[in-house]
Amino acid sequence: MKQYFRLPQDVVGHDPVLLSYWDQMPARAQLRLLESTISVSTLGELKKLAEELSTDTAGPSAHN
């Protein structure tokens, strides 16, 4: 089985503002986003997901 690992840039692109916020996010939220297929393009969207995923135990699929 092949494993593909995503990078923060796969989630937020190369926007320096989003990457800067990524570095401040809780590790749990970062991991859940990296394990998902979710990508974001705005700071508001990233903040909302970070808040939800840092406390959620069900994972990103629970929000689909």
Side-chain angles (χ1 to χ4, degrees):
M1 177 172 72
K2 290 185 180 181
Q3 288 186 319
Y4 296 98
F5 296 97
R6 288 173 25 120
L7 300 171
Q9 291 85 354
D10 296 326
V11 178
V12 300
H14 295 278
D15 184 321
V17 173
L18 296 180
L19 287 170
S20 176
Y21 185 77
W22 175 272
D23 291 337
Q24 301 169 28
M25 286 174 47
R28 175 188 296 253
Q30 289 178 347
L31 181 61
R32 292 193 187 282
L33 283 170
L34 289 172
E35 291 176 335
S36 75
T37 57
I38 296 171
S39 61
V40 298
S41 58
T42 67
L43 184 57
E45 192 176 26
L46 184 58
K47 285 182 176 182
K48 181 179 177 189
L49 282 170
E51 181 180 314
E52 290 176 5
L53 297 176
S54 65
T55 58
D56 183 22
T57 58
S61 60
H63 298 284
N64 290 339

